[in-house]
Amino acid sequence: MAKIRPSQGASYARIMGVGGYRPTRVVPNEVILETIDSSDEWIRSRSGIATRHWASDEETVAMMSIEASGKAIADAGITPEQIGGVIVSTVSHFKQTPAVATEIADRIGAGKPAAFDISAGCAGFGYGLTLAKGMVVEGSARYVLVIGVERLSDLTDLEDRATAFLFGDGAGAVVVGPSQEPEIGPTVWGSEGDKSNTITQTVPWDDYRNGTVERFPALTQEGQAVFRWAVFEMAKIAQQALDAAGITSADLDVFIPHQANMRIIDSMVKTLKLPEHVTVARDVETTGNTSAASIPLAMERLLATGQAKSGDTALVIGFGAGLVYAATVVTLP
């Protein structure tokens, strides 16, 4: 029996660079109030959101991803030709095939990397990061580009008082590469499919195609159920990620949760009993909920504004439709 040669990968992996792209149009709550019966005060108190970015026709999923990727690659200090894998997490690329990752890889000049899309909702960045780490350690790619990108304005029902104000557009990207030290911890991830109807699309695409419904599909959710799940169950997952990394909350410098809702973020901070010295990402106030893009966008802003610095230890956790989740501890690039 022939023996298979072992993989020649890196000992560990790390995030080497980060980049983000926010569409140029900034949409305040006043615009949302044109189609729903609410108030700026109500939206802010329920979600913490004051503004969000909506993409123009030119700001496609691919275009936003390319802009974010270029920044991440430059920040990592490598060239596009060195990228051996491109992973894109999105639920708002409206072509079933081919994967938008293949277009992005070609347009950034990455050569012929492995390229594929994943659909894991708001946990998509964590899923992609875990896959990229495995590729680097296994040796199938030395550098992997992970992109979270959404045009959720295309899936927003502007007449739905419960969700019209929540969603925004944007792209965030990181480059994952080899490391001599463990700088991406074990991932605690999973799903609770029995709650899949809690966050979902209103109708399947074929219902719209066949004329069963006239309204274009949109995102919908059971707000209170999502809130309770995120606050209580995801705090447990976050603690498990800390335990898996062998650290405590006192060892953290930064907490970057999915930017779903300010009330959820603040409640998780309280439940986890995070020390006052821990910087908490609250990008949701001006960016809204960008699903898979929210964690890398928040990471990029913290670093760009000096609220976090290279080498800081950060806990990241994403959670959303499925219901799915992924949490890990990373060293910031």
Side-chain angles (χ1 to χ4, degrees):
M1 181 183 293
K3 291 186 177 181
I4 298 174
R5 180 182 298 172
S7 301
Q8 301 296 315
S11 298
Y12 305 103
R14 65 188 177 105
I15 299 175
M16 299 176 59
V18 60
Y21 180 84
R22 291 172 171 82
T24 54
R25 183 187 178 192
V26 177
V27 179
N29 288 338
E30 285 72 19
V31 172
I32 308 298
L33 296 175
E34 295 174 2
T35 53
I36 62 171
D37 180 16
S38 187
S39 68
D40 177 66
E41 181 182 4
W42 186 87
I43 293 174
R44 289 174 185 258
S45 66
R46 294 280 293 181
S47 67
I49 298 172
T51 61
R52 73 285 292 146
H53 296 255
W54 283 355
S56 65
D57 290 343
E58 292 74 28
E59 290 169 316
T60 63
V61 165
M63 177 271 189
M64 293 190 292
S65 298
I66 290 165
E67 291 293 322
S69 298
K71 296 175 184 178
I73 291 169
D75 192 41
I78 65 171
T79 65
E81 294 83 0
Q82 292 176 279
I83 297 292
V86 177
I87 303 171
V88 177
S89 178
T90 184
V91 299
S92 48
H93 174 56
F94 288 167
K95 279 188 178 179
Q96 192 72 32
T97 192
V100 72
T102 58
E103 177 187 351
I104 294 166
D106 177 64
R107 290 176 59 185
I108 66 173
K112 300 179 180 180
F116 56 95
D117 298 350
I118 60 174
S119 176
C122 305
F125 176 74
Y127 274 55
L129 184 65
T130 304
L131 294 172
K133 172 187 173 183
M135 292 167 70
V136 171
V137 173
E138 189 270 340
S140 61
R142 184 165 178 81
Y143 302 107
V144 180
L145 182 64
V146 180
I147 303 165
V149 57
E150 301 292 1
R151 273 181 55 121
L152 295 183
S153 58
D154 292 334
L155 286 168
T156 299
D157 180 353
L158 294 178
E159 296 179 1
D160 181 359
R161 189 172 183 270
T163 62
F165 57 89
L166 287 175
F167 302 118
D169 304 335
V174 300
V175 172
V176 177
S179 174
Q180 295 182 346
E181 300 290 337
E183 297 188 49
I184 301 175
T187 299
V188 178
W189 58 353
S191 65
E192 296 186 28
D194 60 315
K195 301 179 181 67
S196 60
N197 287 332
T198 308
I199 306 173
T200 188
Q201 187 171 299
T202 49
V203 294
W205 295 114
D206 53 359
D207 279 3
Y208 181 73
R209 179 195 64 191
N210 297 334
T212 306
V213 296
E214 295 182 359
R215 292 181 70 101
F216 192 76
L219 296 174
T220 184
Q221 68 175 28
E222 298 175 13
Q224 287 302 313
V226 172
F227 180 87
R228 290 192 297 270
W229 177 78
V231 170
F232 298 107
E233 297 303 320
M234 291 305 98
K236 297 175 186 176
I237 299 301
Q239 183 60 55
Q240 289 176 31
L242 291 174
D243 295 341
I247 67 172
T248 68
S249 59
D251 299 314
L252 282 179
D253 300 302
V254 184
F255 178 45
I256 311 177
H258 165 49
Q259 301 294 293
N261 180 304
M262 194 75 78
R263 292 169 61 216
I264 290 175
I265 293 170
D266 290 341
S267 295
M268 288 184 70
V269 169
K270 184 177 180 179
T271 303
L272 286 167
K273 299 179 180 178
L274 294 184
E276 290 188 4
H277 74 264
V278 177
T279 297
V280 180
R282 292 188 170 89
D283 193 45
V284 66
E285 180 180 5
T286 56
T287 306
N289 180 342
T290 56
S291 189
S294 78
I295 290 175
L297 279 174
M299 183 184 296
E300 187 240 12
R301 175 161 282 174
L302 288 176
L303 290 167
T305 58
Q307 297 176 71
K309 62 184 184 299
S310 175
D312 278 354
T313 300
L315 169 63
V316 299
I317 178 169
F319 44 86
L323 292 169
V324 296
Y325 54 87
T328 187
V329 175
V330 303
T331 300
L332 294 183

